[in-house]
Amino acid sequence: MTTSLPTARLGSTGMRLTGVGFGAWAIGGGGWAFAWGDQDDTESVTAIRSAVESGINWIDTAAVYGLGHSEEVVAAALAGLPEADRPYVFTKGGLVWDPAARSAAPRRVGEPASLRGEVEASLRRLKVERIDLYQMHWPAEDGTALEDYWQVFLDLKREGKIRAAGLSNHGISQLAAAEGIGHVDAVQPQFNLIHRDVADDVLPWARDHETGVIVYSPMASGLLTGAFTAERAARLDAGDWRSSHPDFREPALRANLALADALGLVAERHGVTAAAVAVAWTLCFPGVTGAIVGARSPRQVQGWLPAAALKLKEDDLADIAAAVHASGGGAGPASPPTATQA
């Protein structure tokens, strides 16, 4: 796929990604444990196509998003696109659900036969012959050793069912154990101005091992968009996982919204949204290939799209760091290792 947006190399995979990718968690819709609430599929398809038409060249989803539905929506959005225009499609496995108990939390399963069944199901739902990046969503909790489930990913890559293999939500000791068996092509950690700790360990590890990094939740699930308010937080539906999350409740909520306000001041200098600044900040860190940014409508896509090419300056980074320190929240560095764009 050709794009006019800047791209960066995803580790040693040979893929070059735009700085932002379309995150397909929310478009899975409602009625499951970690839903964002109900979502119109037609609007989801329109949002994905808007992102692709704007030059975004990758989509990140997972089998568990909507209990398979997000992958189906992604397939519908990409149907009919010429091969040259198709974005890379990344998905994740290792979270298993009971269809008869949709509201129950999925189980973290690493059993090899289960993973092989999952990848086949994802291939069918996505209507592809090969998944560009397949990731273990969370460390297994069913007693399967990391070495055993990581070997499955390496085998799937060798067999051509996946192009690259990655680990999401794994710490550096787990990454090191996996790397000892076979190369970790990519990692996917949470990273934003509120949750910054991976900048101290996972990001440097990935850089040292030529492992690509795609970060998730760069806008802190909406908190740093500039469009969120305390009133909106209070109105979150019980079917939205954020309604019970500490980041969206006091005492953290007030500090998080003040941080978003500070981003708005930086955004005004560049003529963009606070959301774009929040995302661009994550891309300043050495080793970060791209950021996964969710959207439920074309309007939301256009709000964060400028982050793909936004270059934050030293005074921007200094002002953002000051706002982070003033908020008093989170751990990890408030600015990249150097005061220049990585």
Side-chain angles (χ1 to χ4, degrees):
M1 177 184 179
T2 57
T3 175
S4 60
L5 297 175
T7 61
R9 187 167 55 95
L10 181 67
S12 57
T13 65
M15 291 183 277
R16 293 192 65 87
L17 309 186
T18 49
V20 291
F22 187 96
W25 180 359
I27 68 169
W32 63 290
F34 298 103
W36 294 65
D38 293 338
Q39 170 69 9
D40 179 78
D41 288 348
T42 300
E43 190 162 35
S44 297
V45 167
T46 305
I48 293 171
R49 289 179 176 167
S50 173
V52 174
E53 289 165 3
S54 297
I56 300 302
N57 76 347
W58 56 288
I59 296 172
D60 178 86
T61 185
V64 77
Y65 298 160
L67 309 186
H69 189 60
S70 175
E71 291 183 330
E72 294 169 341
V73 173
V74 169
L78 301 185
L81 278 183
E83 190 63 31
D85 295 336
R86 287 180 64 87
Y88 298 120
V89 177
F90 305 159
T91 194
K92 300 178 283 290
L95 292 183
V96 176
W97 63 89
D98 180 354
R102 290 179 57 90
S103 61
R107 295 175 294 114
R108 300 180 182 180
V109 176
E111 201 276 322
S114 178
L115 285 173
R116 284 193 166 274
E118 285 191 69
V119 78
E120 295 296 340
S122 286
L123 287 165
R124 287 194 300 270
R125 286 190 292 260
L126 289 167
K127 298 183 179 179
V128 296
E129 295 182 358
R130 181 181 68 170
I131 294 166
D132 292 304
L133 171 62
Y134 193 57
Q135 303 153 93
M136 185 67 174
H137 208 148
W138 286 90
E141 294 181 343
D142 64 340
T144 303
L146 179 145
E147 291 80 1
D148 292 337
Y149 65 74
W150 183 239
Q151 187 61 54
V152 176
F153 281 73
L154 299 174
D155 291 343
L156 291 171
K157 181 178 174 182
R158 178 177 50 79
E159 294 161 14
K161 292 183 181 293
I162 67 176
R163 177 173 179 173
L167 294 168
S168 176
N169 297 303
H170 285 62
I172 56 172
S173 62
Q174 295 164 319
L175 295 173
E179 184 73 14
I181 302 168
H183 184 51
V184 179
D185 292 317
V187 296
Q188 181 175 318
Q190 178 181 215
F191 184 47
N192 55 54
L193 280 158
I194 298 170
H195 301 283
R196 309 179 303 277
D197 53 312
V198 296
D200 284 330
D201 50 23
V202 172
L203 300 189
W205 184 93
R207 197 164 64 248
D208 290 344
H209 291 83
E210 203 175 1
T211 293
V213 179
I214 53 174
V215 302
Y216 73 85
S217 197
M219 301 183 300
S221 303
L223 277 171
L224 301 178
T225 60
F228 217 89
T229 64
E231 292 74 22
R232 184 176 171 189
R235 293 196 308 268
L236 287 172
D237 186 86
D240 187 324
W241 68 271
R242 297 173 295 177
S243 63
S244 59
H245 194 281
D247 284 351
F248 291 82
R249 307 178 77 172
E250 297 299 351
L253 180 62
R254 188 186 308 272
N256 292 339
L257 293 179
L259 181 54
D261 288 342
L263 294 181
L265 298 176
V266 175
E268 288 178 7
R269 298 175 192 159
H270 295 274
V272 299
T273 63
V277 172
V279 176
W281 179 86
T282 68
L283 299 175
C284 290
F285 281 74
V288 174
T289 309
I292 301 163
V293 197
R296 302 173 71 166
S297 68
R299 178 185 58 81
Q300 291 181 346
V301 171
Q302 297 308 313
W304 48 251
L305 185 64
L310 179 60
K311 301 294 185 182
L312 296 179
K313 300 177 181 178
E314 290 190 19
D315 59 337
D316 299 324
L317 295 172
D319 288 348
I320 292 170
V324 170
H325 291 309
S327 75
S335 59
T338 61
T340 58
Q341 183 82 6

